[in-house]
Amino acid sequence: MTTPTTPVETNRADRWTGLFWIVLGGAIIAHSLGMPIPRNLGATTLTGPGFVPMLLGGALALLGGSLALRASRGGDAYAPDAPEGPISNGRAMVALVLMVAYAAALALRQPFIPGTILFVTLFVTVFNWADKSMQQRLKTAGGALLLATITAIVIQFLFEQIFFVRLP
């Protein structure tokens, strides 16, 4: 598959990509609505296992619609500050590697909180590292660690105490 090179090709690709996300989001919503709600555990529609996937499916569909609409209107396909070619591909590859490693760690039943803290800290730090002084980098890493710790604790609390889902 070739990378779109002109605004027209990019708009066409964005339109089809947006439609893909709309369909995928709709499928996720449909599947999540069919998930059983463990009422014997005190769960409701808003705390059942299908609620979060439904929200995520809705977000995917909404953002896909936004992308498709922008492409259909002929919006500018190129952002002025967007990295070109191999740089953006390299960033995507780094993000993919980090996400697959995190998913693999969770699939192998590694503890959720330390794994999430490591993942979020690395992700935020790696993508905010360039063009900064050492002091700014240390500040970024510290902020990323704080964000990661809060994120991991809040997510574990929500899933285990509100949604009744055990995390590794």
Side-chain angles (χ1 to χ4, degrees):
M1 180 177 224
T2 60
T3 304
T5 56
T6 67
V8 171
E9 290 174 359
T10 302
N11 281 341
R12 186 177 309 127
D14 282 354
R15 189 173 320 119
W16 283 107
T17 302
L19 291 174
F20 167 80
W21 290 117
I22 292 169
V23 170
L24 181 63
I28 291 170
I29 291 170
H31 182 70
S32 68
L33 290 173
M35 294 178 81
I37 300 170
R39 299 206 188 272
N40 61 327
L41 296 175
T44 66
T45 304
L46 296 178
T47 61
F51 183 67
V52 171
M54 182 182 63
L55 291 177
L56 295 175
L60 285 176
L62 184 66
L63 293 173
S66 173
L67 179 63
L69 182 63
R70 188 192 77 200
S72 295
R73 289 184 174 172
D76 186 11
Y78 298 105
D81 297 321
E84 296 288 331
I87 295 171
S88 63
N89 289 342
R91 290 173 59 89
M93 186 56 68
V94 168
L96 180 65
V97 167
L98 287 172
M99 289 185 288
V100 168
Y102 177 62
L106 292 179
L108 294 172
R109 311 290 291 159
Q110 297 303 308
F112 178 79
I113 288 185
T116 301
I117 289 172
L118 180 63
F119 169 72
V120 174
T121 301
L122 281 173
F123 203 94
V124 171
T125 302
V126 165
F127 288 102
N128 290 290
W129 194 258
D131 301 329
K132 293 190 176 184
S133 69
M134 187 51 75
Q135 183 179 4
Q136 289 173 317
R137 288 177 177 176
L138 290 174
K139 191 174 182 180
T140 297
L145 181 61
L146 178 63
L147 171 72
T149 302
I150 292 169
T151 299
I153 291 169
V154 167
I155 289 172
Q156 183 164 24
F157 174 79
L158 284 173
F159 273 81
E160 291 188 355
Q161 301 303 316
I162 307 295
F163 300 129
F164 305 115
V165 175
R166 281 298 273 157
L167 296 175

